[in-house]
């Protein structure tokens, strides 16, 4: 079986997206040992081999360049790649076209990328390929043109694996005027497996892991960061704890290593080079405070509680999805109301500072359940 894998972060600089890609490749390899995979990525074969070895090949394509086609494809999704011979050749080569997990569909900041992905999927269906969306989160979107394009493509694909039902399933069902609800399967986030399998057992930690990201889609304000910094200084004085960075994005323009330094940390995470590096850092924490979704996934999957910091609806949806999937151990602190940040964050830290072994076990059991659901869904890829 020949599988073409579209990747949410072709630069491989987002450790959450990279973890999902690794798990997707490993699951396909386990279920279909003779499969050959090509990953659409901007990196070299040697770089991809660090994370996805064994008959998994890097392939780079140029998606853009014709402004007229780019503009038209926002309305008529499925036509941009029709004239792109690089993409056509890749799709023709494949038996199955999949998108590795992500959370970009329906988000304004990632609209161009979303349209390109939808274009590839629809082209694949026109060429009679099997098409599956893996481990995705869909955000509520008010853009009617985008919703129309998304609905059109989702009617064509074979399956849609969702990482949570709270927002994604509700949103997609509202679009399913012609009926694709039967294609929706909730699997949990694919990265759960990598974190759970590499969890650290028996740690009695006094460390808080923190992630802060400044970007156009997190909308974290400087005032909120200063309040968080003050609170953590007070917590350090009370408990003598360490504070370390849990970096997920290593992209220069939104580096978690750089932005989290603003709160003052004992270890900035600048030596992180892989998802396993991040998972190990998380595993040595008592709790994690994060603006990043996958820092939370890596923690909950190891039985570690999480406080999600959200200033946008996009991140409220993401963290609510984890609350739905894990049941306990995750709480949201809203950063849009500055007057409540210190009190709410202090309360959440106090509650999670003593996290029982039974609660930890419940989180691990929820991780196991979601991994199982993921494998059941993946077994349909080659049907």
């Amino acid at each position: 079986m020949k599988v073409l894998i579209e990747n949410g972060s072709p630069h491989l600089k987002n450790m959450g997206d990279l973890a999902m890609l690794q798990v997707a490749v490993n699951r396909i390899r386990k279920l279909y040992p003779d499969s050959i995979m090509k990953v659409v990525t901007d990196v070299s074969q040697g770089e991809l081999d660090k994370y996805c070895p064994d008959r998994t090949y890097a392939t780079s394509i140029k998606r853009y360049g014709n402004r007229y086609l780019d503009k038209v494809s926002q309305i008529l999704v499925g036509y941009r790649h029709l004239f792109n011979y690089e993409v056509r050749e890749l799709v023709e080569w494949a038996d199955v076209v999949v998108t590795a997990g992500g959370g970009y569909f329906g988000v304004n900041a990632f609209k161009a990328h979303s349209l390109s992905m939808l274009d590839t999927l629809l082209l694949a269906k026109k060429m009679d390929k099997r098409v599956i969306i893996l481990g995705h989160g869909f955000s509520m979107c008010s853009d009617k043109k985008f919703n129309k394009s998304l609905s059109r493509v989702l009617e064509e694909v074979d399956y849609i694996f969702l990482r949570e039902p709270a927002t994604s399933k509700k949103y997609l069902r509202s679009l399913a005027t012609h009926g694709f609800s039967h294609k929706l399967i909730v699997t949990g986030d694919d990265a759960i497996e990598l974190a759970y399998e590499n969890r650290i057992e028996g740690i009695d930690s006094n460390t808080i892991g923190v992630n802060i990201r400044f970007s156009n889609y997190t909308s974290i304000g400087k005032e909120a960061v200063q309040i968080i910094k003050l609170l953590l200084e007070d917590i350090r004085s009370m408990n003598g704890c360490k504070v370390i960075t849990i970096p997920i994005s290593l992209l220069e323009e939104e580096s978690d290593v750089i932005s989290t330094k603003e709160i003052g940390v004992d270890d900035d995470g600048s030596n992180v080079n892989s998802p396993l590096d991040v998972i190990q850092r998380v595993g040595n924490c008592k709790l994690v405070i994060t603006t990043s979704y996958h820092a939370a996934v890596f923690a909950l999957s190891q039985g570690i509680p999480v406080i999600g910091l959200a200033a946008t609806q996009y991140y409220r949806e993401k963290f609510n999805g984890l609350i739905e999937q894990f049941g306990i151990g995750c709480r949201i602190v809203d950063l849009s109301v500055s007057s409540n940040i210190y009190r709410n964050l202090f309360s959440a830290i106090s509650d999670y500072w003593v996290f029982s072994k039974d609660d930890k076990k419940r989180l691990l059991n929820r991780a196991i359940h979601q991994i199982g659901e993921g494998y059941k869904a993946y077994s349909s890829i080659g049907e």
Side-chain angles (χ1 to χ4, degrees):
M1 183 171 71
K2 293 178 289 186
V3 184
L4 177 64
I5 304 177
E6 281 280 21
N7 177 25
S9 298
H11 43 68
L12 304 191
K13 293 293 186 181
N14 183 293
M15 297 300 100
D17 291 346
L18 180 52
M20 289 187 288
L21 173 63
Q22 286 183 282
V23 171
V25 168
N26 288 338
R27 285 180 178 176
I28 293 170
R29 178 75 66 226
K30 286 180 182 178
L31 292 167
Y32 310 100
D34 296 328
S35 59
I36 300 172
M37 287 171 267
K38 288 186 178 180
V39 178
V40 180
T41 176
D42 298 335
V43 305
S44 67
Q45 183 64 50
E47 186 69 14
L48 181 65
D49 284 343
K50 295 177 184 177
Y51 312 108
C52 305
D54 186 20
R55 285 177 294 133
T56 305
Y57 304 104
T59 182
S60 176
I61 58 176
K62 185 178 180 181
R63 298 184 185 280
Y64 309 106
N66 187 315
R67 291 184 181 179
Y68 174 74
L69 289 177
D70 285 354
K71 187 174 181 179
V72 169
S73 66
Q74 292 185 34
I75 303 170
L76 303 175
V77 168
Y79 285 82
R80 180 192 302 165
H81 291 344
L82 192 63
F83 302 94
N84 188 323
Y85 293 104
E86 285 183 283
V87 179
R88 284 185 63 85
E89 286 181 0
L90 279 173
V91 174
E92 284 175 349
W93 167 85
D95 300 310
V96 182
V97 177
V98 303
T99 60
Y104 44 84
F105 286 121
V107 184
N108 282 331
F110 310 128
K111 190 170 289 183
H113 184 72
S114 298
L115 288 166
S116 184
M117 294 298 101
L118 293 176
D119 211 75
T120 303
L121 300 182
L122 195 55
L123 177 63
K125 288 311 298 181
K126 287 178 179 178
M127 299 171 73
D128 202 26
K129 305 296 181 177
R130 188 162 178 78
V131 176
I132 298 176
I133 294 174
L134 307 176
H136 266 67
F138 290 78
S139 293
M140 291 285 188
C141 181
S142 58
D143 185 329
K144 292 182 179 179
K145 287 182 179 179
F146 177 81
N147 286 340
K148 185 176 180 180
S149 297
L150 178 62
S151 181
R152 178 188 172 197
V153 175
L154 297 187
E155 287 171 12
E156 298 291 333
V157 303
D158 294 286
Y159 283 111
I160 305 145
F161 300 166
L162 305 176
R163 60 192 186 191
E164 51 78 31
T167 297
S168 299
K169 202 167 189 177
K170 180 181 178 181
Y171 168 50
L172 295 187
R173 280 180 167 170
S174 73
L175 300 180
T177 54
H178 300 291
F180 53 77
S181 293
H182 63 287
K183 300 176 183 179
L184 306 178
I185 302 173
V186 178
T187 62
D189 192 281
D190 288 353
I192 290 170
E193 181 178 358
L194 193 65
Y196 175 80
E197 293 295 335
N198 292 280
R199 67 193 182 280
I200 299 176
E201 300 277 17
I203 292 289
D204 184 16
S205 175
N206 200 32
T207 298
I208 297 176
V210 181
N211 172 287
I212 301 291
R213 182 180 306 165
F214 298 128
S215 73
N216 60 346
Y217 56 90
T218 60
S219 299
I220 305 299
K222 296 287 186 178
E223 182 182 359
V225 172
Q226 289 306 308
I227 295 172
I228 295 165
K229 179 179 180 180
L230 175 63
L231 171 66
L232 289 173
E233 288 173 353
D234 291 345
I235 295 292
R236 275 174 164 148
S237 299
M238 293 167 58
N239 296 329
C241 62
K242 286 177 59 179
V243 176
I244 67 171
T245 300
I246 305 298
I248 299 297
S249 178
L250 304 184
L251 280 171
E252 185 175 350
E253 61 268 27
E254 58 171 42
S255 168
D256 297 343
V257 172
I258 295 172
S259 55
T260 307
K261 282 181 180 179
E262 295 208 10
I263 63 166
V265 292
D266 299 296
D267 180 342
D268 66 9
S270 56
N271 61 338
V272 164
N273 292 302
S274 71
L276 286 178
D277 289 343
V278 184
I279 289 167
Q280 185 174 40
R281 291 176 71 81
V282 171
N284 283 288
C285 293
K286 181 181 283 289
L287 62 89
V288 168
I289 303 169
T290 178
T291 62
S292 165
Y293 167 82
H294 271 105
V297 171
F298 290 160
L300 295 169
S301 304
Q302 297 185 70
I304 296 167
V306 166
I307 302 167
L309 305 175
T312 63
Q313 186 59 29
Y314 174 50
Y315 272 93
R316 292 184 199 101
E317 291 171 358
K318 282 189 163 194
F319 291 129
N320 274 320
L322 290 176
I323 292 170
E324 175 101 4
Q325 289 297 96
F326 282 91
I328 62 167
C330 185
R331 186 180 301 183
I332 301 172
V333 170
D334 195 330
L335 299 185
S336 62
V337 184
S338 298
S339 60
N340 295 334
I341 294 173
Y342 189 104
R343 182 180 68 251
N344 292 342
L345 188 51
F346 185 89
S347 174
I349 291 173
S350 300
D351 289 345
Y352 284 151
W353 199 253
V354 180
F355 198 65
S356 73
K357 290 182 179 179
D358 286 341
D359 286 340
K360 182 182 180 76
K361 187 175 180 179
R362 289 189 186 99
L363 285 180
L364 294 175
N365 285 337
R366 290 304 302 166
I368 293 168
H369 172 75
Q370 290 174 84
I371 293 167
E373 293 300 299
Y375 271 97
K376 282 195 289 185
Y378 267 67
S379 65
S380 67
I381 288 177
E383 286 178 358

